[in-house]
Amino acid sequence: MSIDRPVPVPRTAVPLGITDPVQSARAELKAALAAIEVKANAPRRVSEAIDRTVGEVREKAQQNPGAAAAAVAGVAALVGLAVWGIVRAYTRGDSAKRPASFGSRAASSSAGRPRRPRIRSGPVGARPRVRSRTARAAGPRSTPA
């Protein structure tokens, strides 16, 4: 039984039957460059590995959907726990580990100046009393007798 059609040759192989030494050298160089390209093309290799892994995971998920749902829930819980831990460690961290700009009065530019008094307001909902400029210029209020 013979094959009527030619057998495809991979890009990284040298075809048989080349008798001319120049053509043989060119074919070997071409095959070597193709092999280097396949090995050195990291993004393509990563993409192919991801495609293989995704295909395997989809196949397993179709075979056992309950386990796939549990795996997704477990991964989501782990990611949530990691984010919660990072945020908690950052917000509750030791004040000595934080930079000076986080609430440290000594690091502020007004280190040697006296503090201004805090403005205190009256009861909630009370309107502040505002005096006009003329009344302020006249002095303190006089109370009727």
Side-chain angles (χ1 to χ4, degrees):
M1 182 174 201
S2 69
I3 299 175
D4 294 335
R5 58 194 159 124
V7 178
V9 178
R11 286 181 20 174
T12 58
V14 178
L16 297 174
I18 299 176
T19 56
D20 184 23
V22 174
Q23 286 182 348
S24 176
R26 283 183 184 158
E28 287 177 9
L29 181 60
K30 185 177 178 182
L33 290 175
I36 290 171
E37 180 189 359
V38 168
K39 277 284 194 184
N41 195 351
R44 182 176 175 188
R45 291 174 63 190
V46 168
S47 175
E48 289 172 356
I50 288 172
D51 290 343
R52 277 194 311 270
T53 305
V54 166
E56 292 171 5
V57 168
R58 283 185 179 162
E59 187 177 313
K60 288 180 183 179
Q62 287 177 352
Q63 291 173 358
N64 193 351
V72 168
V75 168
L78 285 175
V79 168
L81 186 64
V83 169
W84 174 79
I86 290 169
V87 170
R88 184 169 188 251
Y90 181 75
T91 56
R92 294 182 138 205
D94 205 8
S95 61
K97 294 180 185 176
R98 290 190 186 160
S101 62
F102 283 101
S104 173
R105 294 227 179 252
S108 67
S109 61
S110 61
R113 295 186 228 158
R115 288 172 118 190
R116 284 206 232 157
R118 291 180 99 184
I119 299 173
R120 300 191 187 268
S121 60
V124 177
R127 291 183 69 186
R129 285 189 256 162
V130 179
R131 296 175 62 191
S132 66
R133 282 189 206 161
T134 55
R136 276 186 261 156
R141 282 191 203 175
S142 58
T143 54

